[in-house]
Amino acid sequence: MTRSSGIALFSSTFVLCAAASASASAAQPGDPPDGMPKIETVVVIFAENRAFDNLYGHFPGAEGIDKASKESLEQRDRDGSVLSELPPVWDGLTAKGVTPPVTQAMTEHLPNAPFTVNDAKGFNVPLNATTHDLWHRYYQNQMQINGGKNDMFVAWGDSGAMPMSNWDISKGDMWAVAQKYVLADHFFMGGFGGSFFNHQWLICACAPYYANADKSTAKPSIAVTDDSGTALKLADNSPKSARDGIPKFVSDGNLTPDFYAVNTMQPPYQPSGNDPAPGGDPRLADPAKPTTLPPQTEPTIGDMLSLKHVSWAWYSGAWQYTLEHGNHTPIPNFQYHHQPFNYYANFAPGTEARREHLRDAGLGGVSFIQAIDDGVLPQVSFYKPQGNLNEHSGYADIQAGDRHIADVIAHLEKSPQWPHMLVVITYDENGGIWDHVAPPKGDRWGPGTRIPAIIVSPFAKHGYVDHTPYDTTSILRFITERFELPVLHGIVVRDRAVAAHGEPTLGDLTGGLELN
Amino acid sequence: MDADRIVALVTAGGIELTDRRRNVRNDGWSLSFANGATVEVGDDGNVRIGGKGTKAVAGLLDLPVAPRST
């Protein structure tokens, strides 16, 4: 059963349930949809930075690259003309230290079309190699999507041809998991842009706010947009063509002109990229640093779960290691801005909520896996793999993350909690990588580009491709409905916006389940 | 090495730029990155790196790392 979150508003709930009572005599007002209580344990695994076509563009039965029109495969230059060829990948396709490297010169004169990085007849870069990262930022993502045509990913990127790259992962472990269970092929990232923002959308369906930013040290981080308000204002010295170089903007900051934080800011609490203030509380980040976000106070899904006494936790790989030993690269390469609850006053150091809900997953996720094996997961778990296992371009490869997540799935399938479990594996955002499907038109904040999502459960439709439109907030929709939580405001706004554009209602993941 | 070059090399390594501004002396740029590193690059090309992510950023820029005091 798929419901609009708007119906979860209290007054409407009564009406809906009264109407439904004829067909479901056992249902009581406020009950979750039929069958949902069969799910007792929800696990959300949040990997990094892959568009749907980047990994699953050739998945059988999915709306992938093979089904795309010729026009949707072409990229346009900044003046709107079709590029005669792709620009090279500036500074090369492979990350520093990868041997043999794929240099910038080797990427000259690529056709204006998607290309497969591990094609044996092409660059033949293995799945365990790390490749060049790409811009994945709030305004650029909207400029790249270009109203749904998705034809400006190269033009408004910083990595030349790189957005058009994809991989053949059909021999990978997670491909097999997707074949066994459900691959959702219309799942979109909740917010435009990058990891910071999309982690916020996963837990809050909201845009963080920096009050009085124009009177703070963060003032130079306020972006300058053009008249549309959805694109950055170009600098006078910006190259006219994508083939001439990376675009330049007047101010490509972290904050919108009305002070919402849409690109990466640091948590106000340790572990944070920003050190404590000299002589200050060692548990805090220096609030005077321009990139320290003030503590946030919007309600999160965690607050809603706690309100209804539903047990939950955010499991973070290498959390305790980083607190005790500092961060290290390339392993574990902990990512401060991938810890969304660490931005919220309700989870500040010293609070009972922090002790109870922000848990260490251990190095390589060992503590999380132990909890799985012991059958002691809370009713709702979020798992964030440490940096080297998250599949992010630039510092992580696909193979390590793919194998790690598949290993976690294997443990989940053997867990004592498995018979009543729902697992959702998805990516926080597209990582600046092209996808050919237009996102649903929504509100100011998203949805953004299409990303992979896999639904795993004993109740999953096996070997199924789910075409239901979802976004990151669909995870919150399921949790909200299953545990009868108050609906986060951002979900209500999103649903109204999607409806106002005449788009189909975003689902609650039950399209991939057989609960009845 | 200028600020644009530093940003290109560090961000290609998956470390996002989080802040870019002229320094207080107006003789160079102050850059901040998501891993906690800060890079001061003078208009004369002189580069200094500090903060939590110093080692990773220095490696991407082929610059020596000074030990952190904290």
Side-chain angles (χ1 to χ4, degrees), chain B residues 36-58:
Chain B
T38 56
V39 178
E40 300 290 336
V41 51
D43 293 332
D44 60 2
N46 187 39
V47 178
R48 285 188 302 118
I49 311 175
K52 285 182 173 175
T54 295
K55 187 176 176 185
V57 168

Side-chain angles (χ1 to χ4, degrees), chain B residues 11 18 22 32 42 64 66 69:
Chain B
T11 57
T18 55
R22 294 294 290 176
S32 299
S69 58

Side-chain angles (χ1 to χ4, degrees), chain A residues 461-511:
Chain A
K461 297 173 181 173
H462 287 239
Y464 183 69
V465 177
D466 184 359
H467 304 305
T468 308
Y470 298 121
D471 75 355
T472 308
T473 64
S474 294
I475 298 169
L476 303 181
R477 287 182 175 83
F478 183 90
I479 294 170
T480 298
E481 292 172 15
R482 164 60 186 88
F483 297 106
E484 304 171 56
L485 310 179
V487 181
L488 293 167
H489 180 67
I491 296 177
V492 177
V493 172
R494 174 64 48 89
D495 283 340
R496 287 176 181 162
V498 167
H501 287 292
E503 299 273 2
T505 303
L506 297 172
D508 60 5
L509 307 181
T510 53

Side-chain angles (χ1 to χ4, degrees), chain A residues 337-384:
Chain A
H337 60 296
H338 295 176
Q339 320 302 328
F341 288 104
N342 203 30
Y343 291 84
Y344 285 80
N346 280 354
F347 303 95
T351 60
E352 178 61 18
R354 185 183 185 89
R355 188 198 64 73
E356 183 177 352
H357 301 298
L358 306 197
R359 298 186 191 173
D360 176 35
L363 283 175
V366 292
S367 301
F368 178 58
I369 291 171
Q370 188 65 57
I372 294 169
D373 294 345
D374 292 344
V376 295
L377 291 176
Q379 288 163 284
V380 177
S381 299
F382 299 92
Y383 172 51
K384 188 68 202 180

Side-chain angles (χ1 to χ4, degrees), chain A residues 134-368:
Chain A
L134 316 84
W135 267 349
H136 40 287
R137 298 175 67 76
Y138 177 75
Y139 288 110
Q140 284 91 331
N141 187 215
Q142 293 175 76
M143 297 163 76
Q144 291 172 315
I145 291 169
N146 191 26
K149 295 193 285 289
N150 293 313
D151 55 3
M152 303 294 269
F153 273 78
V154 167
W156 302 121
D158 69 336
S159 53
M162 200 68 201
M164 300 308 290
S165 63
N166 61 68
W167 298 80
D168 177 1
I169 64 160
S170 60
K171 304 285 192 296
D173 293 345
M174 286 306 297
W175 184 280
V177 172
Q179 284 184 313
K180 182 178 179 182
Y181 295 104
V182 175
L183 178 68
D185 72 346
H186 280 76
F187 192 110
F188 299 83
M189 53 205 251
F192 299 114
S195 296
F196 163 80
F197 198 55
N198 276 285
H199 280 74
Q200 298 296 325
W201 273 82
L202 174 64
I203 67 155
C204 181
C206 72
Y209 189 64
Y210 195 129
N212 302 312
D214 57 337
K215 300 178 181 65
S216 78
T217 58
K219 182 177 179 181
S221 281
I222 299 171
V224 176
T225 59
D226 67 11
D227 293 341
S228 73
T230 61
L232 293 168
K233 186 174 183 180
L234 275 176
D236 292 338
N237 62 345
S238 182
K240 300 299 181 199
S241 169
R243 295 171 65 182
D244 296 333
I246 300 168
K248 296 176 185 289
F249 303 107
V250 172
S251 178
D252 176 14
N254 301 330
L255 308 175
T256 64
D258 52 349
F259 313 154
Y260 288 95
V262 290
N263 290 315
T264 301
M265 298 287 285
Q266 294 288 353
Y269 313 121
Q270 301 300 332
S272 171
N274 290 340
D275 285 326
D281 188 333
R283 301 174 303 173
L284 310 182
D286 186 349
K289 295 273 187 174
T291 55
T292 301
L293 188 68
Q296 298 296 293
T297 56
E298 278 284 307
T300 66
I301 194 68
D303 297 316
M304 299 299 106
L305 288 163
S306 294
L307 185 71
K308 295 297 290 283
H309 306 290
V310 178
S311 61
W312 68 276
W314 178 274
Y315 286 92
S316 175
W319 171 267
Q320 194 62 33
Y321 175 91
T322 304
L323 282 170
E324 294 177 359
H325 305 290
N327 203 0
H328 293 93
T329 53
I331 299 170
N333 202 2
F334 181 85
Q335 300 294 310
Y336 307 107
H337 60 296
H338 295 176
Q339 320 302 328
F341 288 104
N342 203 30
Y343 291 84
Y344 285 80
N346 280 354
F347 303 95
T351 60
E352 178 61 18
R354 185 183 185 89
R355 188 198 64 73
E356 183 177 352
H357 301 298
L358 306 197
R359 298 186 191 173
D360 176 35
L363 283 175
V366 292
S367 301
F368 178 58

